[in-house]
Amino acid sequence: EVQLVESGGGLVQPGGSLRLSCAASGFTVSNNYMNWVRQAPGKGLEWVSIIYSGGRTYQADSVKGRFTISRDNSKNTLYLQMNSLRTEDTAVYYCARSSGYGTGLDVWGQGTTVTVFS
Amino acid sequence: QSVLTQPPSVSGAPGQRVTISCTGSSSNIGAGYDVHWYRQLPGTAPKLLIYGNNNRPSGVPDRFSGSKSGTSASLAISGLQAEDEANYYCQSYDDSLSGWHVVFGGGTKLTVL
């Protein structure tokens, strides 16, 4: 079964760090375009970052220089290292797969909650 | 403010047809980038509904259809059912001065009357 399972969310103070993990099963992370998408409480979806199969990465302007997307091919796992966290980073973070350009985000995890409180 | 603009809400009676618009610009939809649509029920992850402007993943009923023209796209839902009540999001790509990004619309809440 194709599945994504996120973990690593929690409570953190402003300026702190967290690392989110997204374990994949049923497919190979490194052969796909993997994304992080977040949703603040009561708000819409906001794209955070992408890592292509070739390794190139892009980030949203709101997280550039603070968040880093990466993957461990041996563990078939996607990561999001979040540094210098702000209260506005509070959200449910989803990892999502795109199996290629034009396919959309066709597999989503259940999400993990990050709360940045002061 | 989202790069792609959607109406905050739409509504329709059971059996009716509703459309949800998604308006972009020359740096995203108008540049030829594909548009995808997602449905999200409260407390759950989004689900892909339409990909590549007008294609349905396996399992999505043909009541759902997508179209794209110029700098806009639309999602149409015919034969409205109570279980269609959800939030709907469009998604595309944007290549502007600040770089390449995946972009979402702000979302549209569909209410079935």
Side-chain angles (χ1 to χ4, degrees), chain A residues 74-118:
Chain A
S74 66
K75 295 182 179 179
N76 207 31
T77 299
L78 177 74
Y79 300 101
L80 185 68
Q81 177 66 45
M82 304 187 296
N83 298 329
S84 303
L85 282 161
R86 306 168 180 167
T87 54
E88 55 264 35
D89 295 320
T90 294
V92 175
Y93 285 73
Y94 298 100
C95 61
R97 180 190 82 170
S98 175
S99 49
Y101 177 75
T103 64
L105 303 178
D106 59 354
V107 179
W108 294 70
Q110 85 287 352
T112 187
T113 300
V114 172
T115 303
V116 185
F117 70 100
S118 56

Side-chain angles (χ1 to χ4, degrees), chain A residues 27-99:
Chain A
F27 72 97
T28 303
V29 163
S30 60
N31 290 342
N32 291 269
Y33 308 163
M34 298 301 297
N35 297 261
W36 287 99
V37 176
R38 68 184 180 183
Q39 187 169 35
K43 303 297 184 181
L45 302 173
E46 180 188 15
W47 172 75
V48 174
S49 189
I50 187 172
I51 182 166
Y52 281 102
S53 52
R56 178 172 285 191
T57 65
Y58 292 93
Q59 299 79 37
D61 292 346
S62 57
V63 306
K64 199 167 289 184
R66 301 188 300 124
F67 290 11
T68 302
I69 190 172
S70 64
R71 68 189 181 211
D72 184 329
N73 296 344
S74 66
K75 295 182 179 179
N76 207 31
T77 299
L78 177 74
Y79 300 101
L80 185 68
Q81 177 66 45
M82 304 187 296
N83 298 329
S84 303
L85 282 161
R86 306 168 180 167
T87 54
E88 55 264 35
D89 295 320
T90 294
V92 175
Y93 285 73
Y94 298 100
C95 61
R97 180 190 82 170
S98 175
S99 49

